[in-house]
Amino acid sequence: MVKTREWLWIILFSGLGVGGAIPVLAQTSGHGHEGYEAAGRFPHSVVVGDFNKDGHLDMAIAASAERKITVLLGDGRGGVAANHSYEVGRGPVWVTAGDLDGDGHPDLVSANSGAGTVTLYLNDGRGRFVKRKELEGFKGPVAAVAADFDRDGRVDLAVADTLLSTVLVHRGDGKGGMNLVAQYPAGSRPHILAQADLNRDGLVDLVVTSLGQHTISVLVGKADGTFEEPRVFKVKRFPHYMAFADFTGDGHEDVAIVCAGDDTLVLLAGDGKGNLRKLAEFPTGVNPHPIIGGDFTGDGRLDLIVGNRSTKDLTILKGDGTGQFTRLPDVKVPDDPIVLGAGDFNEDGKSDLVLVFASLHRVAIYLGDGRGGFTPAASPAPRTTH
């Protein structure tokens, strides 16, 4: 199983369109989908981590058509022990996590595209989130990265704003506060923002996709917590989510990115200096959005999984360690998988998946068999606390 950067597994997202979220304060009943947990109206982002320090993986989901974040606490058996919700600004389309106040507990960050704000929630150490704070100065925040950019031991914050066409970088004060220090161009309609280390210097680099220009931009990190001017690379139409790892086996971090407009996965090879070149393309299902990397087949080599919204399935690509992939049988799912997460939720040593279904308004854990197969985990109805 692939190791993570720190305690965080995956952050993935898809936007509804800025300002288009509708605040609906109700959860669906989920009839006919036992084991699929309520996650608010039109969930569109997930982050996985151990929020209550019990050794079991939990998850937080942003409900883009409600003003809330849903936190599902895992039971260590592939199920959910508790369901809590927290109010945020209108149109939350992204959630991520980081230790904003330096107490050793992961806090939550929500990008609220409808409100034009970013919500910070501090963790009380027991998996409950308190001391809400709103950051302003945005127009259409759609994605965020929380990490220590300048290696001062304090978590900083970068936010992609689709209406400003920028990435805004904030320096953390180690107490939960953030101060804006820099802004960088991000192309037309920036969509997904992620962290990587493309030049192998131990500093955080930022990578942002542009839906308007069909490009990705690499912002190479500097020791003072700022970034170089963007290096722009052309990809296919409507680039969405990205996975970062050494897929080619040359010691350099590469980028795998799904392009929804061409039903294609594009593999970009890194040179270890922050530059990328197109290496290969692989067909997916129709309208691919999320992607995740890991050793899902148990052979010690990195594989890729893509969620396809229109064909309602998962494309499983088995890697050979050199940048080539073999397509395994697709996994059918009940609706549109808009977000994927990963982790060992039943603690059997095999990678499992979190599937977030926008139209079902629900999330499910699919248990991995270690050979590239996945089945939904049966889960009792969680205790719900608002």
Coordinates of all heavy atoms in Angstrom, one line a residue, residues 29-126:
S29 N -33.4 9.9 2.5 CA -33.6 8.7 3.3 C -32.8 7.5 2.8 O -32.4 6.6 3.6 CB -35.1 8.3 3.1 OG -35.4 7.9 1.8
G30 N -32.4 7.5 1.5 CA -31.5 6.4 1.1 C -32.1 5.1 0.9 O -31.4 4.1 1.0
H31 N -33.4 5.0 0.7 CA -34.1 3.7 0.5 C -33.5 2.9 -0.6 O -33.2 3.5 -1.7 CB -35.6 3.9 0.3 CG -36.3 4.5 1.5 ND1 -36.3 4.0 2.7 CD2 -37.0 5.7 1.5 CE1 -37.0 4.8 3.5 NE2 -37.4 5.8 2.9
G32 N -33.2 1.7 -0.4 CA -32.6 0.8 -1.4 C -31.1 0.9 -1.5 O -30.5 0.3 -2.3
H33 N -30.5 1.7 -0.6 CA -29.0 1.9 -0.6 C -28.5 1.7 0.8 O -27.8 2.5 1.3 CB -28.6 3.2 -1.2 CG -29.0 3.4 -2.6 ND1 -28.4 2.8 -3.6 CD2 -30.0 4.2 -3.2 CE1 -29.0 3.1 -4.8 NE2 -29.9 3.9 -4.5
E34 N -28.8 0.5 1.4 CA -28.3 0.2 2.7 C -26.8 0.2 2.7 O -26.1 -0.4 1.8 CB -28.8 -1.1 3.2 CG -30.3 -1.1 3.5 CD -31.2 -1.2 2.2 OE1 -30.6 -1.4 1.1 OE2 -32.4 -1.0 2.3
G35 N -26.2 0.8 3.7 CA -24.7 0.9 3.8 C -24.2 2.1 3.1 O -23.0 2.4 3.2
Y36 N -25.0 2.9 2.4 CA -24.6 4.1 1.8 C -25.0 5.2 2.7 O -26.2 5.5 2.8 CB -25.2 4.3 0.4 CG -24.7 3.3 -0.7 CD1 -24.7 1.9 -0.5 CD2 -24.1 3.8 -1.8 CE1 -24.2 1.1 -1.4 CE2 -23.6 2.9 -2.8 CZ -23.6 1.6 -2.6 OH -23.1 0.7 -3.5
E37 N -24.0 5.9 3.3 CA -24.3 6.9 4.3 C -24.7 8.3 3.7 O -24.2 8.7 2.7 CB -23.1 7.1 5.2 CG -22.5 5.8 5.7 CD -23.4 5.0 6.6 OE1 -24.4 5.6 7.1 OE2 -23.2 3.8 6.8
A38 N -25.7 8.9 4.4 CA -26.1 10.3 4.0 C -24.9 11.2 4.2 O -24.2 11.2 5.2 CB -27.3 10.7 4.9
A39 N -24.7 12.1 3.2 CA -23.6 13.0 3.2 C -24.0 14.4 2.8 O -23.2 15.2 2.4 CB -22.5 12.5 2.2
G40 N -25.3 14.7 2.9 CA -25.8 16.1 2.5 C -26.1 16.1 1.0 O -25.8 15.2 0.2
R41 N -26.7 17.2 0.6 CA -27.2 17.4 -0.8 C -26.0 17.7 -1.7 O -25.2 18.6 -1.5 CB -28.2 18.5 -0.9 CG -29.5 18.2 0.0 CD -30.4 17.2 -0.7 NE -30.9 17.7 -2.0 CZ -31.6 16.9 -2.8 NH1 -31.9 15.7 -2.5 NH2 -32.1 17.4 -3.9
F42 N -25.9 16.9 -2.7 CA -24.9 17.0 -3.7 C -23.4 17.1 -3.1 O -22.8 18.1 -3.2 CB -25.1 18.2 -4.7 CG -26.3 18.0 -5.5 CD1 -27.5 18.6 -5.2 CD2 -26.3 17.1 -6.6 CE1 -28.7 18.4 -5.9 CE2 -27.4 16.9 -7.4 CZ -28.6 17.5 -7.0
P43 N -23.0 16.0 -2.5 CA -21.6 16.0 -2.0 C -20.6 16.1 -3.1 O -20.8 15.4 -4.1 CB -21.6 14.7 -1.2 CG -22.6 13.8 -1.9 CD -23.7 14.7 -2.3
H44 N -19.6 16.8 -2.9 CA -18.6 17.1 -4.0 C -17.2 17.1 -3.6 O -16.3 17.5 -4.4 CB -18.9 18.4 -4.7 CG -20.0 18.2 -5.7 ND1 -19.8 18.1 -7.1 CD2 -21.4 18.2 -5.6 CE1 -20.9 17.9 -7.7 NE2 -21.9 18.0 -6.9
S45 N -16.8 16.7 -2.4 CA -15.4 16.7 -1.9 C -15.3 15.8 -0.7 O -16.3 15.7 0.1 CB -15.0 18.1 -1.6 OG -13.6 18.1 -1.1
V46 N -14.2 15.1 -0.6 CA -14.0 14.3 0.6 C -12.5 14.4 1.0 O -11.6 14.5 0.2 CB -14.3 12.8 0.3 CG1 -13.4 12.2 -0.7 CG2 -14.3 12.0 1.6
V47 N -12.3 14.3 2.3 CA -10.9 14.2 2.9 C -11.0 13.1 3.9 O -11.9 13.0 4.7 CB -10.4 15.5 3.5 CG1 -11.3 16.0 4.6 CG2 -9.0 15.4 3.9
V48 N -9.9 12.3 3.9 CA -9.8 11.1 4.8 C -8.7 11.3 5.8 O -7.6 11.8 5.4 CB -9.6 9.8 4.0 CG1 -9.4 8.6 4.9 CG2 -10.8 9.6 3.1
G49 N -9.0 11.0 7.1 CA -7.9 11.1 8.1 C -8.5 10.6 9.4 O -9.7 10.2 9.5
D50 N -7.7 10.4 10.4 CA -8.1 10.0 11.8 C -8.4 11.3 12.6 O -7.5 11.8 13.2 CB -7.1 9.2 12.4 CG -7.5 8.6 13.8 OD1 -8.7 8.8 14.2 OD2 -6.7 7.9 14.4
F51 N -9.7 11.7 12.6 CA -10.0 12.9 13.2 C -10.2 12.9 14.7 O -9.9 13.8 15.4 CB -11.3 13.5 12.6 CG -11.3 13.8 11.1 CD1 -12.3 13.4 10.3 CD2 -10.2 14.4 10.6 CE1 -12.3 13.7 8.9 CE2 -10.1 14.6 9.2 CZ -11.1 14.3 8.4
N52 N -10.5 11.7 15.2 CA -10.7 11.6 16.7 C -9.6 10.8 17.4 O -9.8 10.4 18.5 CB -12.1 11.0 17.0 CG -12.3 9.6 16.4 OD1 -11.5 9.1 15.6 ND2 -13.4 9.0 16.7
K53 N -8.5 10.5 16.7 CA -7.4 9.8 17.2 C -7.7 8.5 17.9 O -7.1 8.1 18.9 CB -6.7 10.7 18.2 CG -6.1 12.0 17.6 CD -5.0 11.7 16.6 CE -4.4 13.0 16.1 NZ -3.3 12.8 15.2
D54 N -8.6 7.7 17.3 CA -8.9 6.4 17.8 C -8.2 5.3 17.0 O -8.5 4.1 17.2 CB -10.4 6.1 17.9 CG -11.1 6.1 16.5 OD1 -10.4 6.4 15.5 OD2 -12.3 5.8 16.4
G55 N -7.4 5.7 16.0 CA -6.7 4.7 15.2 C -7.5 4.2 14.0 O -7.0 3.4 13.2
H56 N -8.8 4.7 13.8 CA -9.6 4.3 12.7 C -9.8 5.5 11.7 O -9.8 6.6 12.2 CB -11.0 3.9 13.2 CG -11.0 2.8 14.2 ND1 -10.1 1.7 14.1 CD2 -11.7 2.6 15.3 CE1 -10.3 0.9 15.1 NE2 -11.3 1.4 15.9
L57 N -9.8 5.2 10.4 CA -10.0 6.2 9.5 C -11.4 6.8 9.5 O -12.4 6.1 9.5 CB -9.6 5.7 8.1 CG -8.2 5.5 7.8 CD1 -8.0 4.9 6.4 CD2 -7.3 6.8 7.9
D58 N -11.5 8.1 9.4 CA -12.7 8.9 9.3 C -12.7 9.7 8.0 O -11.7 9.6 7.2 CB -12.8 9.9 10.5 CG -12.5 9.2 11.8 OD1 -13.1 8.1 12.1 OD2 -11.6 9.7 12.5
M59 N -13.8 10.4 7.7 CA -13.9 11.2 6.5 C -14.8 12.4 6.7 O -15.7 12.4 7.6 CB -14.4 10.4 5.3 CG -15.8 9.9 5.4 SD -16.3 8.7 4.1 CE -15.8 7.2 4.9
A60 N -14.5 13.5 6.0 CA -15.3 14.6 6.0 C -15.7 14.9 4.5 O -14.9 14.8 3.6 CB -14.6 15.8 6.6
I61 N -17.0 15.3 4.3 CA -17.6 15.5 3.0 C -18.2 16.9 3.0 O -19.0 17.2 3.9 CB -18.6 14.4 2.7 CG1 -18.0 13.0 2.8 CG2 -19.2 14.6 1.3 CD1 -18.4 12.3 4.0
A62 N -17.9 17.6 1.9 CA -18.6 18.9 1.7 C -19.8 18.7 0.8 O -19.8 18.1 -0.2 CB -17.6 19.8 0.9
A63 N -21.0 19.2 1.3 CA -22.3 19.1 0.7 C -22.5 20.4 -0.1 O -22.9 21.4 0.5 CB -23.4 18.8 1.6
S64 N -22.3 20.4 -1.4 CA -22.3 21.6 -2.1 C -23.6 22.4 -2.2 O -23.6 23.6 -2.5 CB -21.7 21.4 -3.5 OG -22.5 20.5 -4.3
A65 N -24.7 21.6 -2.1 CA -26.0 22.3 -2.1 C -26.6 22.5 -0.7 O -27.8 22.8 -0.6 CB -27.0 21.4 -3.0
E66 N -25.8 22.3 0.3 CA -26.2 22.7 1.6 C -25.0 23.5 2.3 O -23.9 23.4 1.8 CB -26.4 21.5 2.5 CG -27.7 20.7 2.1 CD -28.0 19.6 3.1 OE1 -28.1 19.9 4.3 OE2 -28.2 18.4 2.7
R67 N -25.3 24.2 3.3 CA -24.3 24.9 4.0 C -23.7 24.1 5.1 O -23.7 24.5 6.3 CB -24.8 26.2 4.5 CG -25.5 27.1 3.5 CD -26.0 28.4 4.1 NE -26.7 29.2 3.1 CZ -27.1 30.4 3.2 NH1 -26.9 31.0 4.3 NH2 -27.8 31.0 2.3
K68 N -23.1 22.9 4.7 CA -22.6 22.1 5.8 C -21.5 21.1 5.3 O -21.4 20.8 4.1 CB -23.7 21.3 6.4 CG -24.2 20.1 5.6 CD -25.2 19.3 6.4 CE -25.6 18.1 5.6 NZ -26.6 17.3 6.4
I69 N -20.7 20.7 6.3 CA -19.7 19.6 6.1 C -20.2 18.5 7.0 O -20.6 18.7 8.1 CB -18.3 20.1 6.6 CG1 -17.8 21.3 5.8 CG2 -17.3 18.9 6.6 CD1 -17.6 21.0 4.4
T70 N -20.2 17.3 6.4 CA -20.5 16.1 7.2 C -19.3 15.3 7.5 O -18.4 15.1 6.7 CB -21.5 15.2 6.3 OG1 -22.7 15.8 6.0 CG2 -21.8 13.9 7.0
V71 N -19.2 14.9 8.8 CA -18.0 14.2 9.3 C -18.5 12.8 9.7 O -19.4 12.6 10.5 CB -17.4 14.9 10.5 CG1 -16.3 14.0 11.1 CG2 -16.8 16.2 10.1
L72 N -18.0 11.7 9.0 CA -18.3 10.4 9.3 C -17.1 9.7 10.1 O -16.0 9.6 9.5 CB -18.6 9.6 8.0 CG -19.7 10.2 7.2 CD1 -19.9 9.3 5.9 CD2 -21.0 10.2 7.9
L73 N -17.4 9.3 11.3 CA -16.3 8.6 12.1 C -16.3 7.1 11.8 O -17.4 6.5 12.0 CB -16.5 8.9 13.5 CG -16.5 10.4 13.9 CD1 -16.7 10.6 15.4 CD2 -15.2 11.1 13.5
G74 N -15.2 6.6 11.4 CA -15.1 5.2 11.1 C -15.1 4.3 12.3 O -14.6 4.7 13.4
D75 N -15.5 3.0 12.1 CA -15.5 2.0 13.2 C -14.4 1.0 13.1 O -14.3 0.1 13.9 CB -16.9 1.3 13.3 CG -17.2 0.5 12.0 OD1 -16.3 0.3 11.1 OD2 -18.3 0.0 11.9
G76 N -13.5 1.2 12.0 CA -12.4 0.2 11.9 C -12.8 -1.1 11.2 O -11.9 -1.9 11.0
R77 N -14.1 -1.3 10.9 CA -14.5 -2.5 10.3 C -15.1 -2.2 8.9 O -15.8 -3.1 8.4 CB -15.6 -3.2 11.2 CG -15.1 -3.5 12.6 CD -16.1 -4.3 13.4 NE -17.3 -3.6 13.5 CZ -17.6 -2.7 14.5 NH1 -16.6 -2.4 15.4 NH2 -18.7 -2.1 14.6
G78 N -14.9 -1.1 8.4 CA -15.4 -0.7 7.1 C -16.8 0.0 7.2 O -17.4 0.2 6.2
G79 N -17.2 0.3 8.4 CA -18.5 1.0 8.6 C -18.3 2.4 9.2 O -17.2 2.8 9.5
V80 N -19.4 3.0 9.6 CA -19.5 4.3 10.1 C -20.1 4.2 11.5 O -21.2 3.7 11.7 CB -20.3 5.3 9.2 CG1 -20.5 6.6 9.9 CG2 -19.5 5.5 7.9
A81 N -19.4 4.8 12.5 CA -19.9 4.8 13.9 C -20.7 6.0 14.3 O -21.5 5.9 15.1 CB -18.7 4.6 14.8
A82 N -20.4 7.1 13.6 CA -21.2 8.3 14.0 C -21.1 9.3 12.8 O -20.2 9.3 11.9 CB -20.6 9.0 15.2
N83 N -22.2 10.1 12.7 CA -22.4 11.1 11.6 C -22.7 12.4 12.3 O -23.7 12.6 13.0 CB -23.5 10.6 10.7 CG -23.8 11.6 9.6 OD1 -23.8 12.8 9.7 ND2 -24.2 11.0 8.5
H84 N -21.8 13.4 12.0 CA -22.0 14.8 12.6 C -22.0 15.7 11.4 O -21.3 15.5 10.4 CB -20.9 15.1 13.5 CG -20.7 14.1 14.7 ND1 -21.5 14.0 15.7 CD2 -19.7 13.2 14.9 CE1 -21.1 13.1 16.5 NE2 -20.0 12.6 16.0
S85 N -22.7 16.8 11.5 CA -22.6 17.9 10.5 C -22.3 19.2 11.1 O -22.7 19.5 12.3 CB -24.0 17.9 9.7 OG -25.0 18.3 10.6
Y86 N -21.7 20.1 10.3 CA -21.2 21.4 10.8 C -21.5 22.4 9.7 O -21.3 22.2 8.5 CB -19.7 21.4 11.0 CG -19.3 20.3 12.1 CD1 -19.0 19.0 11.7 CD2 -19.3 20.7 13.4 CE1 -18.6 18.1 12.6 CE2 -18.9 19.7 14.4 CZ -18.6 18.4 14.0 OH -18.3 17.5 14.9
E87 N -22.1 23.5 10.2 CA -22.5 24.6 9.2 C -21.3 25.4 8.7 O -20.3 25.7 9.4 CB -23.4 25.6 10.0 CG -24.0 26.7 9.0 CD -24.9 27.6 9.7 OE1 -25.2 27.4 10.9 OE2 -25.4 28.6 9.1
V88 N -21.3 25.6 7.4 CA -20.3 26.5 6.8 C -21.0 27.5 5.9 O -22.2 27.6 5.9 CB -19.3 25.6 5.9 CG1 -18.5 24.7 6.9 CG2 -20.0 24.8 4.9
G89 N -20.2 28.2 5.0 CA -20.8 29.1 4.1 C -21.5 28.5 3.0 O -21.4 27.3 2.8
R90 N -22.2 29.3 2.2 CA -23.1 28.8 1.1 C -22.2 28.2 0.0 O -21.2 28.7 -0.4 CB -23.9 29.9 0.5 CG -24.9 29.5 -0.6 CD -25.9 30.5 -0.9 NE -25.3 31.8 -1.3 CZ -25.0 32.2 -2.5 NH1 -25.3 31.4 -3.5 NH2 -24.5 33.4 -2.8
G91 N -22.6 27.0 -0.5 CA -21.9 26.4 -1.6 C -20.6 25.8 -1.3 O -19.6 26.1 -2.1
P92 N -20.4 25.0 -0.3 CA -19.1 24.4 0.0 C -18.8 23.3 -1.0 O -19.5 22.3 -1.1 CB -19.3 23.8 1.4 CG -20.7 23.5 1.5 CD -21.4 24.6 0.7
V93 N -17.8 23.5 -1.8 CA -17.4 22.6 -2.9 C -16.1 21.9 -2.6 O -15.7 21.0 -3.5 CB -17.4 23.3 -4.3 CG1 -18.8 23.7 -4.7 CG2 -16.4 24.4 -4.3
W94 N -15.5 22.2 -1.5 CA -14.2 21.5 -1.2 C -14.0 21.5 0.3 O -14.4 22.4 1.0 CB -13.1 22.4 -1.9 CG -11.7 21.8 -1.7 CD1 -10.9 21.8 -0.7 CD2 -11.0 21.0 -2.7 NE1 -9.7 21.2 -0.9 CE2 -9.8 20.7 -2.2 CE3 -11.3 20.7 -4.1 CZ2 -8.8 19.9 -2.9 CZ3 -10.4 20.0 -4.8 CH2 -9.2 19.6 -4.2
V95 N -13.4 20.4 0.7 CA -13.0 20.3 2.1 C -11.6 19.6 2.2 O -11.3 18.7 1.4 CB -14.0 19.5 3.0 CG1 -14.1 18.0 2.5 CG2 -13.6 19.5 4.4
T96 N -10.8 20.2 3.0 CA -9.4 19.6 3.2 C -9.1 19.7 4.7 O -9.9 20.2 5.5 CB -8.4 20.3 2.4 OG1 -7.1 19.6 2.5 CG2 -8.1 21.7 2.8
A97 N -8.0 19.2 5.1 CA -7.6 19.2 6.5 C -6.2 19.5 6.7 O -5.3 19.3 5.9 CB -8.0 17.8 7.1
G98 N -5.9 20.0 7.9 CA -4.5 20.3 8.3 C -4.5 20.8 9.8 O -5.6 21.2 10.3
D99 N -3.4 20.6 10.5 CA -3.3 21.1 11.9 C -3.1 22.6 11.9 O -1.9 23.0 12.0 CB -2.2 20.3 12.6 CG -2.2 20.6 14.1 OD1 -3.0 21.3 14.6 OD2 -1.2 20.1 14.7
L100 N -4.1 23.3 11.9 CA -4.0 24.8 11.7 C -3.5 25.4 13.0 O -2.9 26.5 12.9 CB -5.4 25.4 11.4 CG -6.0 24.8 10.1 CD1 -7.4 25.5 9.9 CD2 -5.2 25.0 8.9
D101 N -3.8 24.9 14.2 CA -3.4 25.5 15.4 C -2.3 24.8 16.2 O -2.0 25.1 17.3 CB -4.6 25.6 16.4 CG -5.3 24.3 16.7 OD1 -4.9 23.3 16.1 OD2 -6.3 24.3 17.4
G102 N -1.7 23.8 15.5 CA -0.5 23.1 16.1 C -0.7 22.3 17.3 O 0.3 22.0 18.1
D103 N -1.9 21.8 17.5 CA -2.2 21.0 18.7 C -2.1 19.5 18.4 O -2.4 18.6 19.3 CB -3.5 21.3 19.3 CG -4.7 21.0 18.4 OD1 -4.5 20.6 17.3 OD2 -5.9 21.2 18.9
G104 N -1.7 19.1 17.2 CA -1.6 17.7 16.8 C -2.9 17.0 16.3 O -2.9 15.8 16.0
H105 N -4.0 17.8 16.2 CA -5.2 17.3 15.7 C -5.6 17.9 14.4 O -5.5 19.2 14.2 CB -6.3 17.6 16.7 CG -6.0 17.1 18.1 ND1 -5.8 15.8 18.4 CD2 -5.9 17.7 19.3 CE1 -5.5 15.6 19.7 NE2 -5.6 16.8 20.3
P106 N -6.0 17.1 13.4 CA -6.4 17.7 12.1 C -7.6 18.6 12.2 O -8.7 18.1 12.7 CB -6.6 16.5 11.2 CG -6.9 15.4 12.2 CD -6.2 15.7 13.4
D107 N -7.5 19.8 11.7 CA -8.7 20.7 11.6 C -9.2 20.7 10.1 O -8.6 20.1 9.2 CB -8.2 22.1 11.9 CG -7.4 22.1 13.3 OD1 -8.0 21.6 14.3 OD2 -6.3 22.6 13.3
L108 N -10.3 21.3 9.9 CA -11.0 21.3 8.6 C -11.0 22.7 8.0 O -11.1 23.7 8.6 CB -12.4 20.8 8.7 CG -12.6 19.3 9.1 CD1 -14.1 19.0 9.2 CD2 -11.9 18.4 8.2
V109 N -10.9 22.7 6.6 CA -11.0 23.9 5.8 C -12.0 23.6 4.7 O -11.9 22.6 4.0 CB -9.6 24.2 5.2 CG1 -9.7 25.5 4.3 CG2 -8.5 24.4 6.2
S110 N -13.0 24.6 4.6 CA -14.0 24.4 3.6 C -14.0 25.6 2.7 O -14.0 26.8 3.1 CB -15.4 24.3 4.3 OG -16.4 24.5 3.4
A111 N -13.9 25.4 1.3 CA -14.0 26.4 0.3 C -15.5 26.6 -0.1 O -16.0 25.7 -0.6 CB -13.1 26.1 -0.9
N112 N -16.0 27.7 0.2 CA -17.5 28.0 -0.1 C -17.7 28.9 -1.3 O -17.6 30.1 -1.2 CB -18.1 28.6 1.2 CG -17.7 27.9 2.5 OD1 -17.8 26.7 2.6 ND2 -17.2 28.6 3.4
S113 N -17.9 28.3 -2.4 CA -17.9 29.1 -3.7 C -19.1 30.0 -3.7 O -19.0 31.1 -4.2 CB -17.9 28.1 -4.9 OG -19.2 27.4 -4.9
G114 N -20.2 29.6 -3.2 CA -21.4 30.5 -3.2 C -21.3 31.7 -2.3 O -21.7 32.8 -2.7
A115 N -20.6 31.5 -1.2 CA -20.5 32.6 -0.2 C -19.3 33.5 -0.5 O -19.2 34.6 0.0 CB -20.4 32.1 1.2
G116 N -18.3 32.9 -1.2 CA -17.0 33.6 -1.5 C -16.2 33.7 -0.2 O -15.5 34.7 0.0
T117 N -16.2 32.6 0.6 CA -15.5 32.6 1.9 C -14.8 31.2 2.0 O -15.1 30.3 1.3 CB -16.4 32.8 3.1 OG1 -17.4 31.7 3.2 CG2 -17.1 34.1 3.0
V118 N -13.9 31.1 3.0 CA -13.3 29.9 3.4 C -13.5 29.7 4.9 O -13.2 30.6 5.6 CB -11.8 29.9 3.1 CG1 -11.1 28.7 3.7 CG2 -11.6 29.8 1.5
T119 N -14.1 28.6 5.3 CA -14.4 28.3 6.7 C -13.3 27.5 7.3 O -12.9 26.4 6.7 CB -15.7 27.6 6.8 OG1 -16.8 28.4 6.3 CG2 -16.0 27.3 8.3
L120 N -12.8 27.9 8.5 CA -11.8 27.1 9.2 C -12.5 26.6 10.5 O -13.2 27.3 11.2 CB -10.7 28.0 9.7 CG -10.0 28.8 8.6 CD1 -8.8 29.6 9.2 CD2 -9.5 27.9 7.4
Y121 N -12.4 25.3 10.7 CA -13.0 24.6 11.9 C -11.9 23.9 12.7 O -11.2 23.1 12.1 CB -14.0 23.6 11.6 CG -15.4 24.1 11.6 CD1 -16.2 24.1 10.5 CD2 -16.0 24.5 12.9 CE1 -17.6 24.6 10.6 CE2 -17.3 24.9 12.9 CZ -18.1 24.9 11.8 OH -19.4 25.3 11.9
L122 N -11.7 24.3 14.0 CA -10.7 23.6 14.8 C -11.2 22.4 15.5 O -12.3 22.4 15.9 CB -10.1 24.6 15.8 CG -9.5 25.9 15.3 CD1 -8.9 26.7 16.4 CD2 -8.4 25.6 14.2
N123 N -10.4 21.4 15.5 CA -10.7 20.1 16.1 C -10.4 20.1 17.6 O -9.4 20.6 18.1 CB -9.8 19.0 15.5 CG -10.2 17.6 15.8 OD1 -10.8 17.3 16.8 ND2 -9.9 16.7 14.9
D124 N -11.4 19.6 18.4 CA -11.3 19.6 19.9 C -10.4 18.5 20.4 O -10.3 18.3 21.6 CB -12.6 19.7 20.6 CG -13.4 18.4 20.4 OD1 -13.0 17.5 19.7 OD2 -14.6 18.3 20.9
G125 N -9.9 17.6 19.5 CA -9.1 16.5 19.9 C -9.9 15.2 20.0 O -9.4 14.1 20.1
R126 N -11.3 15.3 19.9 CA -12.2 14.2 20.0 C -13.0 14.0 18.7 O -14.0 13.2 18.7 CB -13.1 14.3 21.2 CG -12.4 14.4 22.6 CD -13.3 14.4 23.7 NE -14.2 15.6 23.7 CZ -13.9 16.8 24.2 NH1 -12.7 17.0 24.8 NH2 -14.7 17.8 24.1

